[in-house]
Amino acid sequence: MTKHTSTCTVDPRIETRTSALRNIDSYIENSRNVDSCIASSAIAGPCKFASALFLMVLFFAAAGCGERDEADRQTGLLDGEGVAIEGAWARPGSEGGMSAGYFLITNFDTEADTLVGASSEVAELTEIHESYEREEGMMGMRQIDRLELPPQSTLRFEPGGLHLMFIRLQENLTVGDEIEVRLQFSSGEEQSVTLTVQN
Amino acid sequence: MIHPAKILITAALLLALTSGCTPQNEEQPGFSGASFQMVNQQGENIQFPDDFAGSPVLIGFIYTHCPDICSIITARLHQVWDEMDRSDEVQFVIATFDPERDTPDVLLDYARNFGMDNPPFTFLTGEPTEVERLMEMAGVRSEISERRETESGDPFYLIDHTDNIMLLDEDGRLVMDYGGSMTPTHILVEDLEEIL
């Protein structure tokens, strides 16, 4: 439930490294449970109590954002190099079908980087996608060609948002399998990441 | 000075308080009195909702080529089943709005991936006209948003769709219409236990 309550930046996908690490355990857990994208639903009748509670949690979390940002500034630059991936996992899938991959990606550098693509042998196509809500409650999915990673920040690939999309799987993905993905950056560099298949 | 994030989040939640999770009322569609000839993941004929009469039904609407939002909906039903004390008194149904691709075999593979290939989980597909009729009555909307070919030349398309999980009573009447991927498991569990 804490997953979406700690971000005070304009783009909800971007957060500081400190708050990202603070929440990584809950990210992994919530990514499975996905009690995450709660805010826009479920608020009538029996849902009202839980929603009111959730509103209070969010309000107080927002109230603390200023203090956290200040704390982050006082800690100075983040301790790390380049781009790091954590908490990577993927949905199970059947040969010929689809799957999605999720992780936290952090840019430790003081300059922005850009994720421009991904590839994997487990699927005919591996693309960066984003789920979003269109008008009138319609949910859509679109391909992202370039994804900027601001300096000293973390982006969340998570259910209901950014994700890697594996199109036409070349093999079955079952719980416990590990799949290799190569992420490509605008600098020309590539980085391998291992995703564990889980539900 | 009030932090802008406070204003934004409060406004978003006030908006949320007025939308979603719609309780049954005269404007909401239900399935009571209707009947649809469907096929389950084993290829067996299913009359919906007739064959589920006598039990509450939690039903989600998906297509299997949607690995993100629809996987959340599917997993959510499994989580509800897992967390309920009296889950043996509930039927859990997943219906596809993409019958051209979601054949019984495809649904069976998909169900296996989520550990949901056996009762009380039922995955439904059918003739496209019958599926369309079911979706129309449910108020589930979908439309192809992107159509292209993969590198191997196979046709491929994505579908934009509404995000629904619905709770039906033992007579197929709509009790609640939820934002499917966005509704916490515990709310579904609480609502189900309330009508058992």
Side-chain angles (χ1 to χ4, degrees):
Chain A
M1 287 287 231
T2 59
K3 190 165 71 165
H4 285 274
T5 63
S6 61
T7 302
C8 302
T9 48
V10 174
D11 185 337
R13 298 176 311 206
I14 302 171
E15 59 188 304
T16 62
R17 172 68 176 161
T18 307
S19 56
L21 286 180
R22 188 177 293 132
N23 291 325
I24 187 167
D25 290 340
S26 61
Y27 159 78
I28 295 169
E29 181 61 28
N30 285 342
S31 293
R32 292 183 206 129
N33 296 328
V34 198
D35 287 351
S36 44
C37 323
I38 298 162
S40 65
S41 85
I43 323 273
C47 307
K48 274 189 176 171
F49 173 75
S51 300
L53 188 62
F54 183 63
L55 182 141
M56 290 172 61
V57 170
L58 274 186
F59 183 85
F60 287 115
C65 281
E67 290 81 354
R68 183 161 51 247
D69 286 347
E70 180 62 29
D72 288 343
R73 278 193 290 273
Q74 289 177 359
T75 59
L77 294 180
L78 303 175
D79 186 17
E81 290 184 0
V83 172
I85 311 290
E86 295 169 273
W89 65 283
R91 295 271 189 199
S94 302
E95 182 178 348
M98 315 278 284
S99 179
Y102 307 100
F103 47 78
L104 295 180
I105 181 168
T106 299
N107 179 14
F108 286 103
D109 287 343
T110 54
E111 295 182 0
D113 206 337
T114 304
L115 183 62
V116 296
S119 62
S120 174
E121 293 183 357
V122 300
E124 187 175 322
L125 290 171
T126 301
E127 298 176 343
I128 303 165
H129 277 238
E130 181 179 43
S131 294
Y132 68 103
E133 185 169 359
R134 276 180 36 189
E135 74 284 356
E136 298 176 350
M138 293 284 275
M139 302 301 293
M141 194 161 45
R142 59 191 165 205
Q143 186 175 359
I144 304 288
D145 292 327
R146 298 171 62 85
L147 186 63
E148 184 178 357
L149 307 174
Q152 299 271 293
S153 69
T154 296
L155 288 182
R156 290 167 178 261
F157 281 59
E158 60 186 350
L162 286 169
H163 55 278
L164 289 183
M165 187 140 117
F166 303 107
I167 300 172
R168 294 218 188 279
L169 293 171
Q170 305 295 297
E171 57 191 75
N172 293 329
L173 299 183
T174 57
V175 173
D177 287 351
E178 292 187 338
I179 60 178
E180 298 295 322
V181 174
R182 294 194 67 78
L183 302 177
Q184 291 120 25
F185 298 90
S186 56
S187 60
E189 292 184 5
E190 291 194 349
Q191 182 166 340
S192 289
V193 55
T194 302
L195 290 79
T196 303
V197 177
Q198 60 189 49
N199 256 324
Chain B
M1 181 178 174
I2 299 175
H3 195 290
K6 289 182 191 173
I7 300 172
L8 283 173
I9 293 174
T10 304
L13 284 160
L14 286 174
L15 179 62
L17 281 166
T18 63
S19 64
C21 196
T22 311
Q24 179 191 18
N25 60 49
E26 292 178 359
E27 296 176 357
Q28 292 300 314
F31 300 98
S32 182
S35 189
F36 302 91
Q37 180 63 54
M38 309 296 288
V39 180
N40 69 9
Q41 70 268 33
Q42 270 86 31
E44 300 163 337
N45 289 328
I46 297 288
Q47 209 68 35
F48 181 85
D50 318 50
D51 290 351
F52 301 92
S55 300
V57 173
L58 194 64
I59 180 170
F61 300 89
I62 62 134
Y63 73 112
T64 67
H65 280 69
C66 161
D68 189 45
I69 295 292
C70 299
S71 292
I72 298 173
I73 292 172
T74 306
R76 181 58 37 84
L77 263 64
H78 188 278
Q79 289 159 4
V80 171
W81 170 79
D82 194 40
E83 292 188 14
M84 278 193 70
D85 291 331
R86 299 165 62 188
S87 58
D88 56 337
E89 299 175 42
V90 179
Q91 296 287 334
F92 297 87
V93 177
I94 297 280
T96 179
F97 43 79
D98 185 18
E100 286 83 1
R101 291 185 294 189
D102 288 341
T103 62
D105 286 344
V106 169
L107 288 179
L108 182 58
D109 278 344
Y110 181 81
R112 282 192 183 121
N113 292 329
F114 287 88
M116 297 168 65
D117 48 318
N118 288 306
F121 301 107
T122 303
F123 287 70
L124 294 180
T125 184
E127 290 296 323
T129 53
E130 194 71 348
V131 170
E132 186 177 345
R133 202 167 68 86
L134 171 66
M135 297 303 160
E136 188 173 344
M137 176 153 280
V140 173
R141 292 174 289 125
S142 61
E143 61 187 39
I144 293 176
S145 60
E146 178 185 344
R147 191 187 289 274
R148 57 180 154 133
E149 291 185 351
T150 63
E151 290 176 355
S152 58
D154 292 330
F156 173 76
Y157 57 87
L158 297 175
I159 299 175
D160 286 358
H161 55 90
T162 50
D163 180 14
N164 302 93
I165 290 176
M166 295 178 188
L167 175 58
L168 312 179
D169 68 11
E170 66 276 11
D171 294 319
R173 290 187 294 258
L174 181 68
V175 176
M176 197 72 77
D177 184 359
Y178 306 91
S181 67
M182 303 176 183
T183 304
T185 303
H186 72 89
I187 286 180
L188 300 171
V189 170
E190 289 166 8
D191 288 356
L192 263 168
E193 290 180 339
E194 195 168 297
I195 67 169
L196 279 174

